[in-house]
Amino acid sequence: MTGTIFGLVGAALIGIGLFGMLVRRDALLRILSFNLLGGGVFLVFGAVARRGAGAGFGGDPVPQAIILTGIVVAFAATTLAVALVLRLAAAKDRA
Amino acid sequence: MIPALAADGLLAAGILALALGCVATRRAFASAALFIAYGLLLALAWARLDAPDVALTEASIGAGLSGVLLLGGVRRLEGLAEPSPDAETGPLLTILIGIGCAALTVAIGAAVLLLPDPTPSLAPQVAANLATTDLGNPVTAVLMSFRALDTLLESAVVLLAVVCVWALTPEGGWGGVAGLRQPVVRDGPLALLARVLPPLGIVIAIHILWVGADAPGGKFQAAAVLAAMWLMPWMAGLAPAPRIDARWLRLVLAAGPALFILIGLGGALAEGAFLAYPPGWAKPLILAIEIVLTASIAVALALLVMGPPEPPR
Amino acid sequence: MSLLADGVTILCVLAGLVFFAAGTVGLLRFPDTASRLHALTKADHLGLGLVVLGLLPQMDSLAGILRLLAFWALVLLASAATGPMIARLLRRQGGIT
Amino acid sequence: MTEFLLAAALLVLVTVLGGLVRVLRGPADADRIMAAQLLGTGGIAALLLAGVAMAAPALFDLALILAVLAAFASVAMARLAPGDDPREPGP
């Protein structure tokens, strides 16, 4: 049940994140929305992991490890995106 | 049963309300603050999903570091001339996009509901092979042994991100101190916390790294806490950021991935497969990689939040 | 003994719950931000403090007790430091005149 | 005892989630920071209660990380909020 609830939350987060990315014009808010979308994808995958519980584990450890990797990679991408936005704004500021 | 269900429902409602708030709020600072609260609740949700390793990562990286990164971005954008804002999305287009996103949510939600229960799982294979690694934490075993190549590439991605962020250094700033110079705060609450919290945080990070072999925890979570403990005095101006051309800095950044590759090559020579650990050596080698990689990732994460150097004005 | 310990736990945790509830009600109902800050710091310090106090009898080792107390110290420290910072922010943004 | 502690964890969650309204509505930045902080403290309390009830040390470690990172994030929020000048002495 827990898996299903948070899987559905993940689906909703994907929709909310995509909406924010498309509708908001502020670049930082788009990056933030992208993170919401990513969190939703991870939650859906987490629901899959929960359904795969077995062999004494509360969830399938392989998807869990991949989600963990994904969170770190998403953070790295976010920092790069923020740096790009700041550089762009600074360039416009000087012009 | 009922309390568990109630806790899940409450967390779900809270997460969705905060996510909607993030997207709908007018001001960027408020959005970033909501995002931090959202990350907090998401970490609790991961704990409910029996994924404590993911919960620790979400709490430290998803909520803590990402939130502070976004806050810093908001703050720095304010200091710059307002870039002529694009026109807001029109109402008709907003409604159309809303309908499209809602349809996507329904489709993915249906897919979640239609998932086979139980789904195909690798848990039995992990359980069967856990003994060969001498580790007690299955997620660490997956990260460091069964899917070690993924983790190696991930540490390379983090390093690559640092290189890319540095590549955005404006003209005349190359080789300078990472990020904006922070005003020095000698006393007051910020200075107090910046002095007292890091020693505690470092102990906690070492604990998280150490238990990671057998219990939830590990290098990424420990590295994120360490990075936060460096960023704290940095924000108070008490611990200046390093120059990005400092040799020690580049050595620390490269040490983790380099050791990982070396041990992987050693496995190729000794066992005939890249990243294969000789029998009986799995745990010491994994611990060695974890410890060095923690230092590299901690420095990389902190530098990513600090950003590229600024040219002197 | 166990009965006494459980009694202490129940009493203290319930008292902690009251403070958490009071903090939330204060945060929601108080008219201005400054008094809401007042309500919040009480919930932070006392709510978590009482919960920690209540859980102490349930610990079976000294390490567990020290660990619980460490949580409280950590939150107390953070809350004590951010309280004045928030108050200063409020003054600069014109919340307190 | 287990049931009592779990119920208490749930109640803490209920009360601090009520504070979410303040994070969402503000109006001041300070309100949002405070409500986020209360959420962090409540989350820690709930995790401690559940950790003792279910004898799950992993929840303790999660609470520990949450405590450190919540402190870090609260300070960063107060420090980076628009209009704050850190050089000014505290009130």
Side-chain angles (χ1 to χ4, degrees):
Chain A
M1 196 61 206
T2 303
T4 310
I5 291 177
F6 288 114
L8 292 176
V9 170
L13 284 178
I14 293 173
I16 295 170
L18 188 63
F19 180 79
M21 272 177 80
L22 293 174
V23 167
R24 297 310 299 265
R25 294 301 173 99
D26 186 317
L28 278 178
L29 284 177
R30 285 187 163 168
I31 296 173
L32 197 151
S33 303
F34 171 74
N35 271 286
L36 294 178
L37 198 164
V41 173
F42 295 144
L43 265 186
V44 171
F45 203 21
V48 176
R50 185 82 172 88
R51 291 275 175 87
F57 302 138
D60 187 350
V62 176
Q64 288 185 1
I66 291 172
I67 293 165
L68 205 156
T69 311
I71 292 176
V72 178
V73 171
F75 173 74
T78 307
T79 55
L80 185 55
V82 169
L84 272 169
V85 167
L86 289 175
R87 183 81 170 81
L88 202 63
K92 276 187 187 159
D93 190 45
R94 223 163 291 141
Chain B
M1 193 60 217
I2 299 292
L5 206 60
D8 292 343
L10 277 170
L11 282 175
I15 289 170
L16 288 179
L18 285 171
L20 281 171
C22 271
V23 172
T25 309
R26 290 275 139 233
R27 291 180 50 243
F29 175 83
S31 275
L34 289 175
F35 185 75
I36 290 177
Y38 151 89
L40 258 160
L41 286 188
L42 203 54
L44 295 182
W46 283 114
R48 290 283 312 140
L49 280 169
D50 257 325
D53 295 272
V54 182
L56 287 169
T57 314
E58 176 61 39
S60 53
I61 297 182
L65 291 182
S66 297
V68 171
L69 172 82
L70 289 167
L71 286 170
V74 171
R75 175 79 188 225
R76 283 177 73 171
L77 270 186
E78 272 168 11
L80 300 168
E82 198 65 17
S84 56
D86 305 327
E88 283 291 311
T89 311
L92 181 67
L93 194 56
T94 304
I95 290 170
L96 284 177
I97 292 173
I99 292 172
C101 292
L104 180 68
T105 294
V106 170
I108 297 173
V112 169
L113 289 176
L114 293 175
L115 275 177
D117 195 5
T119 50
S121 171
L122 292 168
Q125 277 101 311
V126 172
N129 291 301
L130 197 56
T132 62
T133 62
D134 289 327
L135 299 171
N137 179 355
V139 175
T140 303
V142 173
L143 282 174
M144 296 308 294
S145 181
F146 310 145
R147 304 286 310 169
L149 189 61
D150 288 346
T151 311
L152 172 60
L153 290 177
E154 175 190 14
S155 65
V157 165
V158 173
L159 193 60
L160 188 67
V162 174
V163 173
C164 290
V165 166
W166 283 359
L168 292 170
T169 306
E171 200 110 7
W174 181 254
V177 169
L180 283 182
R181 269 170 210 281
Q182 303 291 320
V184 179
V185 187
R186 292 225 173 277
D187 38 35
L190 176 59
L192 171 77
L193 206 57
R195 286 196 180 94
V196 178
L197 197 58
L200 291 173
I202 289 168
V203 173
I204 291 170
I206 292 171
H207 166 73
I208 292 290
L209 173 63
W210 190 248
V211 300
D214 294 310
K219 61 204 157 313
F220 293 119
Q221 299 89 337
V225 173
L226 285 177
M229 291 309 108
W230 187 9
L231 290 168
M232 189 101 181
W234 172 71
M235 275 194 295
L238 298 173
R243 291 176 59 87
I244 66 164
D245 57 1
R247 178 151 302 156
W248 69 266
L249 186 69
R250 297 184 174 190
L251 265 176
V252 174
L253 279 174
L259 180 70
F260 210 156
I261 292 172
L262 276 180
I263 289 179
L265 287 176
L269 288 179
E271 295 293 312
F274 186 59
L275 284 169
Y277 304 113
W281 279 84
K283 192 165 182 182
L285 287 177
I286 288 174
L287 282 182
I289 298 174
E290 287 238 310
I291 291 169
V292 179
L293 208 52
T294 303
S296 295
I297 296 175
V299 171
L301 292 178
L303 287 168
L304 284 173
V305 176
M306 289 170 182
E310 289 287 314
R313 304 223 161 170
Chain C
M1 182 56 212
S2 158
L3 201 65
L4 182 67
D6 283 359
V8 170
T9 300
I10 290 176
L11 268 182
C12 288
V13 169
L14 281 179
L17 285 178
V18 169
F19 273 97
F20 269 113
T24 303
V25 171
L27 201 58
L28 291 179
R29 300 296 303 166
F30 279 2
D32 60 295
T33 310
S35 39
R36 291 201 279 266
L37 179 62
H38 176 80
L40 170 85
T41 44
K42 300 297 162 294
D44 256 14
H45 293 170
L46 283 167
L48 189 67
L50 283 166
V51 167
V52 164
L53 201 62
L55 288 177
L56 286 181
Q58 303 295 324
M59 292 279 124
D60 43 14
S61 68
L62 185 64
I65 290 175
L66 289 177
R67 203 157 158 196
L68 270 180
L69 289 174
F71 278 105
W72 191 26
L74 205 59
V75 172
L76 212 58
L77 181 72
S79 170
T82 45
M85 288 181 77
I86 295 172
R88 193 185 64 196
L89 172 72
L90 201 55
R91 195 175 60 197
R92 290 192 62 91
Q93 289 191 343
I96 303 175
T97 43
Chain D
M1 204 60 207
T2 308
E3 291 80 19
F4 169 75
L5 291 176
L6 283 179
L10 183 65
L11 278 175
V12 171
L13 213 55
V14 172
T15 51
V16 295
L17 280 175
L20 270 189
V21 178
R22 268 293 163 222
V23 195
L24 288 167
R25 284 186 42 204
D29 287 339
D31 287 311
R32 295 206 165 87
I33 302 173
M34 287 189 299
Q37 208 181 351
L38 182 65
L39 204 61
T41 313
I44 293 165
L47 282 171
L48 289 179
L49 288 164
V52 172
M54 303 194 285
L59 294 183
F60 272 59
D61 285 337
L62 180 58
L64 208 52
I65 293 267
L66 223 53
V68 176
L69 268 299
F72 171 61
S74 311
V75 167
M77 280 194 275
R79 160 78 179 77
L80 296 169
D84 186 65
D85 180 356
R87 277 158 301 188
E88 188 204 357

